[in-house]
Amino acid sequence: MLILQRMAMATSSSFLSIPLLKTPSFLSPIKHCVSPLSSEFRALALYGGRNGVSTSSAVATEAQVSTQDDKLKDAKMEVTDKPEKVVLPTNESSESLLRIRHTCAHVMAMAVQKLFPDAKVTIGPWIENGFYYDFDMEPLTDKELKRIKKEMDRIIGRNLPLIREEVSRDEAHRRITALNEPYKLEILDSIKEDPITIYHIGDEWWDLCAGPHVEKTGKINRKAVELESIAGAYWRGDEKKPMLQRIYGTAWESEEQLKAYLHFKAEAKRRDHRRLGQVLDLFSLQNDAGGGLVFWHPKGAIVRHVIEDLWKKIHIERGYDLLYTPHVAKANLWQISGHLDYYRENMYDQMNVEDELYQLRPMNCPYHILVYKRKRHSYHEFPIRVAELGTVYRYELSGSLHGLFRVRGFTQDDAHIFCLEDQIKDEIRGVLDLTEELLLQFGFSNYEVNLSTRPEKAVGDDDIWVKATSALRDALDDKGWSYQIDEGGGAFYGPKIDLKIEDALGRKWQCSTIQVDFNLPQRFDITYVDSNSEKKRPIMVHRAVLGSLERFFGVLIEHYAGDFPLWLSPVQAHVLPVTDTQLDYCKEVTNKLKANGIRGELCQGERLPKLIRNSEMQKIPLMAVVGAKEVETGTVTVRSRFGGDLGTMPIDDFVSTIKSAIESKASI
């Protein structure tokens, strides 16, 4: 069964350096720059210079106003001076950083209990970019975060020692009971090893903890610590247990590192797909329909259509047969597959249809097996490759939903390969090649690859595990990709390859997965007839390249910061009349663009400066400005979002230039 990693928003913690800006590789730095002079004013200046239109006073005023609003906020993040790189350590690369973050969690808890004596403490670990601590207390405000940070600064400034103490379980229980800390008693009960370790901050505060910590609070740089946010969190992640107040903080070794991290965070916020999805009208999640259910708006749907067409084209070229299968099936199918035994908590409740139980599908695998089983197969037919953009439904707690990254209904780019043992390596290599071909279309060329091997509990004979794992390893070696071995990290039904892509900010996102499966072929008793006319069991390979269309679309939005390349942009060109007198000609231009497969739109009803400003705000790649002289000469004056002013050209040249750029996936 294909179990993709949870669609969590969290990315890999392995980035080592953060540039103050990283431009997507498909854009040259010069083309992506935004000069201090507003782009709509430059477009008007070009048009006016060629056509005798004044660009003084009122026009300049409108341009100046536009450079003071949200566009300027976006533009200042796009300046392409050579970025300064600041190396950011990770918890894995720097033990001192890990100690700082862990100690900050304790210092924060001490500060909270000094300011709010009734607050009960729970747990406070270090995390990827800092730390957090959960408290049972009244809801906090941002103003109170500032008070907590000031108290933390005082504790750090006192340079108090961190003292480790070992005590018996009974002694720990006595001390915790005396403090009336019920959550700590529960934590104590979960600790299986003796003796119990306690860390003291001076002689004023202590916590159950195994460490490690800095020697003294003064080792923490106060200017490299910041409290970031407050969130609700259920105790032990159980919605039936109390809701706690979680305070998140970030901590670094130096103020310079903190500034680099905050810049990275600000850029990530600017690119947040939830914000851009709303601003650019790409998608929405409607409360009236329910959480985690995605509505693709016309512009987002066009991007999805382009992605799906590309996906289908590449798969057909590489020998896959496309499938469409139902969204529901009898519950018994999921009993056979094992999903009801191993995956029930992620599945929706069953529905009764004419006294039979049906189930919304959480995965596509059983359906593809049923298609395989529709007839007998000979070894001559292998490999058999089937693929589907199949929508699945998985139950997620409302608190875990996050934009397009964590949803309840999503479409997997799912495929299954049925092959012989001696075909595994070649098929895996073929999947790796397909994966690279598809991801490169979107500008993703840096990958982190992991090969996960047999876990302690697994199905299948040792011999086939060895063969399958060797085949995956050989395919990766043959491909020339570097990879890490995750010993024992495979699924119980077979070894797997996982691939993460790196976006424009250097973040890594779980994307592609390739999994060999010895389990489902046995559960469904699928067979083929070999050269000796004997029934044998085929090997089954699950694979997904993009993961899910929803999540991949979210990654694309953030990777491009909403500035989709020309070939992928939902609207590729705006046609802008100087006055209503040119509307008929503009309609002819727009119709000609559409007739040539170009996604063009006619914009009207505003003065030209406002039309240009709106196009910039909507991140439209091309603008074709039309005035009286363009109508007279059968031309358009063109401005590219990435390439600047392109001059005046005949309509046919404009069309052919766009078509050529789309075909080569280049910018203009």
Side-chain angles (χ1 to χ4, degrees):
M1 65 191 73
L2 177 60
I3 302 180
L4 293 174
Q5 285 195 4
R6 287 279 198 171
M7 295 185 295
M9 61 174 280
T11 54
S12 170
S13 61
S14 60
F15 63 85
L16 295 179
S17 65
I18 293 178
L20 299 189
L21 173 77
K22 185 173 180 181
T23 303
S25 59
F26 65 89
L27 301 176
S28 69
I30 295 176
K31 288 186 177 182
H32 200 53
C33 133
V34 176
S35 77
L37 181 61
S38 76
S39 48
E40 62 263 33
F41 183 74
R42 282 182 284 126
L44 281 167
L46 169 74
Y47 178 79
R50 295 180 185 275
N51 299 277
V53 175
S54 171
T55 57
S56 63
S57 79
V59 172
T61 301
E62 177 127 11
Q64 289 162 358
V65 169
S66 72
T67 59
Q68 303 302 316
D69 60 14
D70 291 340
K71 184 164 67 63
L72 181 58
K73 295 176 184 176
D74 280 358
K76 69 182 181 180
M77 301 297 293
E78 297 179 11
V79 177
T80 53
D81 293 337
K82 187 175 181 181
E84 176 188 355
K85 284 193 175 183
V86 177
V87 175
L88 289 181
T90 66
N91 294 329
E92 293 74 25
S93 68
S94 173
E95 185 180 346
S96 65
L97 178 62
L98 185 150
R99 289 173 179 270
I100 287 170
R101 288 172 171 171
H102 195 185
T103 304
C104 280
H106 281 224
V107 169
M108 180 173 71
M110 178 177 173
V112 167
Q113 289 199 308
K114 277 183 173 290
L115 296 173
F116 307 94
D118 292 334
K120 303 299 180 186
V121 290
T122 62
I123 57 171
W126 68 84
I127 54 177
E128 180 182 343
N129 293 314
F131 58 93
Y132 73 80
Y133 212 110
D134 288 346
F135 304 92
D136 189 349
M137 62 187 301
E138 292 299 314
L140 292 164
T141 65
D142 290 339
K143 183 178 180 181
E144 287 162 333
L145 275 191
K146 295 178 181 178
R147 290 181 60 205
I148 295 168
K149 177 59 168 61
K150 286 183 179 179
E151 183 61 33
M152 288 177 66
D153 290 346
R154 281 192 284 269
I155 294 170
I156 292 169
R158 292 170 62 193
N159 200 26
L160 298 172
L162 276 290
I163 304 167
R164 183 178 184 273
E165 180 186 12
E166 292 184 356
V167 299
S168 68
R169 185 173 297 273
D170 289 343
E171 176 61 16
H173 191 282
R174 184 189 67 77
R175 294 188 190 183
I176 295 170
T177 302
L179 291 176
N180 189 26
E181 293 283 5
Y183 297 98
K184 289 299 179 182
L185 285 177
E186 190 173 331
I187 293 171
L188 178 63
D189 290 340
S190 68
I191 299 174
K192 303 304 180 185
E193 297 180 357
D194 289 320
I196 304 300
T197 57
I198 288 174
Y199 270 86
H200 299 260
I201 299 180
D203 58 1
E204 300 175 31
W205 191 89
W206 60 268
D207 198 358
L208 291 176
C209 186
H213 289 281
V214 297
E215 295 175 358
K216 294 184 177 182
T217 59
K219 294 285 187 181
I220 300 169
N221 184 337
R222 285 176 286 186
K223 294 183 178 181
V225 179
E226 185 167 296
L227 298 187
E228 297 186 284
S229 62
I230 308 164
Y234 290 112
W235 173 235
R236 299 295 198 187
D238 187 340
E239 60 185 337
K240 296 178 182 178
K241 293 184 177 180
M243 173 68 76
L244 307 174
Q245 294 293 298
R246 175 172 293 179
I247 303 176
Y248 285 100
T250 188
W252 300 89
E253 294 168 326
S254 68
E255 188 177 2
E256 180 188 39
Q257 289 177 5
L258 175 62
K259 287 179 179 178
Y261 166 73
L262 293 177
H263 181 93
F264 170 85
K265 185 179 173 184
E267 176 64 9
K269 183 178 181 180
R270 186 182 75 87
R271 293 168 178 262
D272 191 311
H273 74 280
R274 295 166 298 177
R275 182 184 75 86
L276 290 173
Q278 186 174 18
V279 169
L280 302 177
D281 196 20
L282 299 171
F283 71 92
S284 63
L285 296 119
Q286 302 283 346
N287 289 332
D288 290 344
L293 302 173
V294 181
F295 286 74
W296 295 75
H297 298 182
K299 290 180 180 179
I302 280 290
V303 177
R304 174 170 173 161
H305 170 71
V306 174
I307 295 171
E308 288 185 352
D309 277 1
L310 175 65
W311 185 92
K312 291 174 183 177
K313 177 178 179 292
I314 289 176
H315 279 76
I316 290 171
E317 289 173 352
R318 289 185 172 269
Y320 285 80
D321 292 318
L322 302 184
L323 301 179
Y324 293 95
T325 58
H327 290 216
V328 297
K330 291 180 180 179
N332 186 56
L333 183 69
W334 308 105
Q335 191 67 59
I336 296 171
S337 70
H339 287 90
L340 286 177
D341 293 328
Y342 297 102
Y343 207 69
R344 185 186 292 269
E345 69 274 12
N346 299 107
M347 299 168 67
Y348 283 98
D349 290 342
Q350 296 169 4
M351 61 191 86
N352 191 306
V353 180
E354 296 180 346
D355 297 326
E356 285 192 286
L357 293 177
Y358 280 74
Q359 179 79 55
L360 276 173
R361 66 177 175 186
M363 298 183 189
N364 302 302
C365 328
Y367 293 85
H368 293 189
I369 291 175
L370 292 183
V371 172
Y372 176 91
K373 289 188 69 174
R374 76 191 187 279
K375 64 179 183 179
R376 295 182 63 186
H377 295 278
S378 166
Y379 71 98
H380 292 295
E381 301 174 50
F382 291 101
I384 296 171
R385 309 182 189 104
V386 294
E388 176 181 14
L389 292 168
T391 301
V392 298
Y393 304 90
R394 299 181 186 174
Y395 174 69
E396 300 281 357
L397 293 174
S398 59
S400 68
L401 300 175
H402 181 82
L404 297 177
F405 293 158
R406 197 74 169 267
V407 293
R408 287 171 170 163
F410 55 93
T411 301
Q412 286 185 315
D413 70 316
D414 217 350
H416 293 91
I417 301 170
F418 301 93
C419 64
L420 308 178
E421 286 185 22
D422 60 4
Q423 295 174 332
I424 298 176
K425 177 192 170 184
D426 290 342
E427 288 306 302
I428 297 301
R429 173 60 197 269
V431 173
L432 296 177
D433 290 342
L434 184 153
T435 298
E436 183 177 40
E437 179 184 4
L438 189 54
L439 293 178
L440 283 175
Q441 308 292 319
F442 303 96
F444 296 116
S445 57
N446 295 329
Y447 317 124
E448 178 184 298
V449 183
N450 289 285
L451 170 60
S452 301
T453 62
R454 181 173 184 164
E456 186 175 341
K457 294 182 179 180
V459 299
D461 297 333
D462 291 346
D463 182 56
I464 190 60
W465 267 92
V466 171
K467 288 182 180 179
T469 304
S470 296
L472 267 60
R473 183 184 287 108
D474 291 345
L476 285 169
D477 291 338
D478 195 44
K479 181 66 177 171
W481 282 354
S482 60
Y483 58 93
Q484 299 293 322
I485 300 290
D486 180 11
E487 294 289 353
F492 74 91
Y493 49 80
K496 64 176 182 173
I497 294 171
D498 288 318
L499 181 146
K500 294 178 182 178
I501 56 176
E502 182 179 306
D503 72 5
L505 289 184
R507 299 173 298 180
K508 294 179 180 177
W509 302 89
Q510 174 64 43
C511 189
S512 311
T513 187
I514 308 166
Q515 303 175 0
V516 179
D517 188 348
F518 313 128
N519 180 51
L520 287 186
Q522 180 177 333
R523 280 180 171 270
F524 282 91
D525 192 27
I526 62 173
T527 61
Y528 69 93
V529 178
D530 70 5
S531 58
N532 297 319
S533 298
E534 295 179 358
K535 284 188 176 182
K536 293 291 180 64
R537 187 115 35 226
I539 299 296
M540 183 178 182
V541 177
H542 308 264
R543 48 114 294 205
V545 177
L546 305 180
S548 84
L549 294 184
E550 286 77 6
R551 185 170 189 265
F552 188 72
F553 186 45
V555 172
L556 284 181
I557 293 170
E558 299 200 1
H559 177 61
Y560 297 131
D563 263 324
F564 293 101
L566 178 65
W567 70 275
L568 194 58
S569 182
V571 179
Q572 294 167 321
H574 268 177
V575 181
L576 312 178
V578 174
T579 69
D580 288 348
T581 308
Q582 293 88 39
L583 276 177
D584 288 342
Y585 180 78
C586 286
K587 290 176 182 177
E588 292 178 21
V589 173
T590 305
N591 289 336
K592 190 156 191 175
L593 292 174
K594 291 181 177 179
N596 282 272
I598 298 166
R599 298 186 289 278
E601 281 186 0
L602 168 60
C603 299
Q604 57 180 308
E606 302 280 359
R607 294 176 64 246
L608 182 59
K610 185 65 177 293
L611 294 178
I612 293 173
R613 177 177 180 271
N614 289 344
S615 296
E616 287 287 333
M617 296 293 289
Q618 294 173 41
K619 304 180 186 291
I620 306 300
L622 296 168
M623 287 179 279
V625 180
V626 173
K629 187 166 288 188
E630 281 80 10
V631 175
E632 180 183 339
T633 58
T635 60
V636 291
T637 296
V638 182
R639 168 166 178 78
S640 165
R641 180 166 172 80
F642 300 135
D645 302 324
L646 303 182
T648 301
M649 63 183 72
I651 299 173
D652 288 342
D653 289 355
F654 183 45
V655 169
S656 62
T657 298
I658 296 175
K659 290 178 71 174
S660 176
I662 292 172
E663 180 68 25
S664 62
K665 294 185 173 59
S667 59
I668 297 177

